Amino acid sequence: MKAQLLGNDEWWPVRTPFGDMVLAGDEEALHYLLLPGDQGESVFRQEGERRGRPASVAKAEHQLRAYFSGALLHFELPLAPRGTPWQQQVWRALLDIPFGETRSYGDIAKAVGQPRAARAVGRANNTNPLPVIVPCHRVVGADGSLTGYGGGLDLKARLLAHEREVLARRG
């Protein structure tokens, strides 16, 4: 997903230890999080042209910083990702995966009542407009292997390692 697909949403760049990300939303809810490399080159140059982050974006930025510092294990944000009813159902199921744990595509298919729909879960995962916050990085292959991620497998591995390290520090 590229920045030009965000339509009329207000989008705002956020620098993180995992690379530059972009948040998009309005006063009521967050709609998108673009991963590093997904936002195009113009986003950070245009940041100074606008004033006043929407409330949902400001709250998300604060919580992302807390997540990356290891202080936050669960996001509590108003979310309004745009997608089909099936995608929405899968994305809601992703929110139930605990911090630092993983589930397979088959596990998610079972959780949404469609045990034979692992591939459809994968497609919905691939279109998740709020990665990290809606933790699609926590979904792995049936054998535990890392499989597709919009930000690349390296970022997926780094996010999972970050969560394991945070849990290990907390004891």
Side-chain angles (χ1 to χ4, degrees):
M1 186 178 324
K2 302 291 182 203
Q4 64 266 22
L5 298 181
L6 299 180
N8 294 327
D9 282 316
E10 292 287 326
W11 47 265
W12 301 90
V14 177
R15 297 206 185 272
T16 78
F18 287 67
D20 296 339
M21 298 182 183
V22 174
L23 297 170
D26 53 31
E27 285 299 317
E28 287 77 41
L30 197 64
H31 299 188
Y32 297 99
L33 183 149
L34 302 181
L35 295 169
D38 211 15
Q39 63 266 12
E41 296 178 17
S42 62
V43 174
F44 279 85
R45 283 191 307 231
Q46 295 176 16
E47 178 181 17
E49 296 174 12
R50 297 179 300 157
R51 305 238 187 277
R53 292 179 192 268
S56 68
V57 171
K59 188 172 183 178
E61 181 176 2
H62 174 77
Q63 288 190 24
L64 277 169
R65 292 188 195 290
Y67 167 83
F68 287 118
S69 75
L72 181 79
L73 304 184
H74 179 75
F75 292 97
E76 295 199 16
L77 297 165
L79 305 177
R82 295 175 181 139
T84 67
W86 167 254
Q87 291 169 328
Q88 298 276 345
Q89 184 179 17
V90 170
W91 300 335
R92 281 190 300 276
L94 300 179
L95 293 170
D96 293 333
I97 305 172
F99 184 95
E101 295 185 22
T102 59
R103 299 290 184 270
S104 72
Y105 294 95
D107 292 335
I108 302 301
K110 289 175 193 161
V112 298
Q114 299 291 327
R116 296 169 42 127
R119 287 186 182 190
V121 165
R123 285 190 297 278
N125 226 32
N126 185 49
T127 60
N128 174 13
L130 289 163
V132 182
I133 294 168
V134 176
C136 55
H137 62 279
R138 296 179 189 155
V139 182
V140 298
D143 63 358
S145 63
L146 296 187
T147 58
Y149 188 63
L153 292 182
D154 179 61
L155 179 57
K156 184 173 189 167
R158 291 176 60 209
L159 288 167
L160 291 171
H162 163 71
E163 291 183 2
R164 286 190 304 270
E165 290 167 10
V166 167
L167 290 177
R169 282 195 311 259
R170 288 175 170 236

